[in-house]
Amino acid sequence: MAQEYFDFTNDLIFRWVMEREENCLAILRAILPELKITAVKRRENEHPVNYLAFDDERGVRFDAIIEDDQERFYDVEMQVVNQPGLGNRVRYYQAQIDQETLKKGEDYDDLRESYVIFFCAFDPCGQDRRLYQFHYYEDDDRQLRLPTNSHVILINALGTKGQITPALAAVLDVMNRRRDNQNPLAVSLVKEIDGYNRDKKRRRALMNLQMRLKDERRLGLSEGRAEGRDEMALGLIQALQAQGMPQKQIVEALALARKISLAEAQRYYEQVAQADSGGEH
C-alpha cells in the first residue's frame, strides 16, 4: 500500500518550509511584489500559538515572526479548516506581532508596519477571489482609512478571480497538489516537500502528529465529548508544564488551542495544580 503523502497544508510541512528564510523571502515577494523585499530574518516568538505541532525533535512549536530588510513584520499561517472566528484569530495574531516586536521602553508610536497573512485551503469570504486584503475604514466614507500600519491578507487557494503574481499562483498550485507548474518557486517547494516525505525522522514526526489529531477527533466524537475535552485540556497543560512553560503562557496557549476563555483555561490549570499537590479536583 502506498504511503500517505503529506503536502504543503500539513502543519509540520508548512512549518519546516517556512523555517527556511529563502522560502519566507520568496513567498512574501510572491504575495507582495510592490514592497520590493530583499531580505528577511525569523524572530522566534516567546509565546506558543499552536500546540498541535509537537514533534520528537523540538517539542512545543513556537511560531516565528518574519522581519524584512525595512523593519516590517509578517506572520504567515496556514488555515486548512474553515472554522468560526477567523476574524478573532487574525486579531490574535496581530496582537502577537505587536507584543513580540515592541521593544522595552517603546510605546505605540514605535509600532512597525505589520502583515498577518493566512493561506486558506477554502474561500474565507465566499467571493471566489484569490486574495483578500483588509484595513480599517470609516463606515460611511470608504475613502477614509485609519492609518494603523497593519494589514490583513487572506489567500484563497480555491479562488479564480483577481490578479496575483505567477509566483503566488505557483504556491497555490503546490497547495492544491498540482505538480505541473514549472515556475521555479513551485518546482523548489515540491522538491523540498517530497524530501520531507522521504526523510524517515521527519516522516515519524508527521505520523505522530497525525495520530494525535485522529485521537482528538475520536475523543471529540465519542459520547463523553465534554469529558474528552476536559481530558485533552488537562493533558495539554501537563505536556506544556513538562516543557517548563510558565503558568501564564500555558493558560494563554490552552485558551487559544481549545477556543475557550482565559477564565476557563485557568480553571483547568488549577485542576492540574490541585491534582499534583494531592488535592481533590
Side-chain angles (χ1 to χ4, degrees), residues 150-190:
S150 62
H151 312 261
V152 174
I153 296 176
L154 306 181
I155 300 168
N156 171 21
L158 304 180
T160 62
K161 298 178 180 178
Q163 295 296 316
I164 58 175
T165 65
L168 181 53
V171 176
L172 297 187
D173 277 350
V174 174
M175 281 186 66
N176 290 312
R177 293 197 182 188
R178 299 189 185 112
R179 303 178 67 90
D180 56 349
N181 191 314
Q182 294 306 303
N183 181 281
L185 181 54
V187 173
S188 174
L189 289 176
V190 168

Side-chain angles (χ1 to χ4, degrees), residues 201-214:
K201 191 172 184 179
R202 295 198 189 247
R203 188 166 185 87
R204 184 166 61 250
L206 289 161
M207 294 299 294
N208 288 344
L209 174 60
Q210 184 184 54
M211 288 301 298
R212 278 190 289 271
L213 290 172
K214 286 182 178 178

Side-chain angles (χ1 to χ4, degrees), residues 5 7 11 17 36 50 58 87 93 97 102 142-143 147 149 154 169-171 185 187 200 217 229 244 257 277:
Y5 183 82
D7 63 23
D11 247 2
V17 167
K36 303 187 185 305
N50 185 345
R58 297 176 58 181
Y93 281 108
I97 292 179
L102 198 62
R142 301 295 294 172
Q143 300 302 312
N149 268 342
L154 306 181
V171 176
L185 181 54
V187 173
K200 290 183 179 179
R217 284 194 292 268
R229 283 200 300 267
S277 64

Side-chain angles (χ1 to χ4, degrees), residues 17-274:
V17 167
M18 296 301 292
E19 280 180 344
R20 298 184 59 192
E21 290 181 357
E22 58 265 42
N23 290 337
C24 292
L25 176 60
I27 289 172
L28 287 177
R29 286 169 63 93
I31 300 168
L32 296 159
E34 67 275 12
L35 297 186
K36 303 187 185 305
I37 305 168
T38 60
V40 297
K41 60 183 177 181
R42 287 167 50 85
R43 297 165 51 108
E44 296 296 331
N45 288 6
E46 296 178 0
H47 305 97
V49 294
N50 185 345
Y51 84 98
L52 289 176
F54 285 84
D55 66 29
D56 293 336
E57 292 180 86
R58 297 176 58 181
V60 180
R61 169 187 175 187
F62 286 75
D63 280 328
I65 293 170
I66 304 164
E67 181 179 0
D68 72 10
D69 52 303
Q70 298 182 50
E71 294 189 333
R72 293 175 293 227
F73 296 114
Y74 308 82
D75 192 311
V76 186
E77 305 292 332
M78 178 66 67
Q79 296 290 308
V80 177
V81 179
N82 190 6
Q83 297 174 326
L86 183 62
N88 286 341
R89 186 174 292 269
V90 167
R91 179 178 170 184
Y92 178 86
Y93 281 108
Q94 182 62 64
Q96 286 290 304
I97 292 179
D98 294 340
Q99 177 183 353
E100 301 292 343
T101 60
L102 198 62
K103 299 173 184 176
K104 187 175 181 180
E106 293 182 331
D107 60 27
Y108 60 84
D109 288 329
D110 299 303
L111 286 169
R112 276 68 164 184
E113 188 169 12
S114 64
Y115 291 78
V116 174
I117 301 171
F118 281 9
F119 279 99
C120 300
F122 53 88
D123 188 341
C125 301
Q127 296 187 11
D128 194 30
R129 290 163 54 188
R130 293 191 283 186
L131 187 148
Y132 302 93
Q133 187 162 188
F134 298 90
H135 300 93
Y136 288 89
Y137 292 96
E138 205 282 325
D139 286 348
D140 294 326
D141 183 0
R142 301 295 294 172
Q143 300 302 312
L144 183 59
R145 185 171 122 187
L146 192 65
T148 63
N149 268 342
S150 62
H151 312 261
V152 174
I153 296 176
L154 306 181
I155 300 168
N156 171 21
L158 304 180
T160 62
K161 298 178 180 178
Q163 295 296 316
I164 58 175
T165 65
L168 181 53
V171 176
L172 297 187
D173 277 350
V174 174
M175 281 186 66
N176 290 312
R177 293 197 182 188
R178 299 189 185 112
R179 303 178 67 90
D180 56 349
N181 191 314
Q182 294 306 303
N183 181 281
L185 181 54
V187 173
S188 174
L189 289 176
V190 168
K191 182 179 179 180
E192 186 171 338
I193 294 167
D194 285 350
Y196 293 144
N197 274 270
R198 289 192 298 268
D199 184 281
K200 290 183 179 179
K201 191 172 184 179
R202 295 198 189 247
R203 188 166 185 87
R204 184 166 61 250
L206 289 161
M207 294 299 294
N208 288 344
L209 174 60
Q210 184 184 54
M211 288 301 298
R212 278 190 289 271
L213 290 172
K214 286 182 178 178
D215 288 344
E216 180 173 313
R217 284 194 292 268
R218 191 177 299 116
L219 283 170
L221 293 173
S222 68
E223 290 183 359
R225 178 174 294 180
E227 181 180 352
R229 283 200 300 267
D230 287 351
E231 291 299 323
M232 286 184 285
L234 299 176
L236 173 58
I237 291 170
Q238 292 168 340
L240 296 181
Q241 284 179 328
Q243 296 289 331
M245 190 178 298
Q247 173 183 342
K248 182 175 182 294
Q249 294 180 20
I250 291 175
V251 171
E252 291 173 347
L254 176 61
L256 179 66
R258 303 305 306 153
K259 298 182 178 62
I260 58 178
S261 68
L262 286 173
E264 188 173 0
Q266 180 66 37
R267 180 176 64 81
Y268 282 125
Y269 186 92
E270 290 170 357
Q271 287 184 29
V272 172
Q274 289 176 352

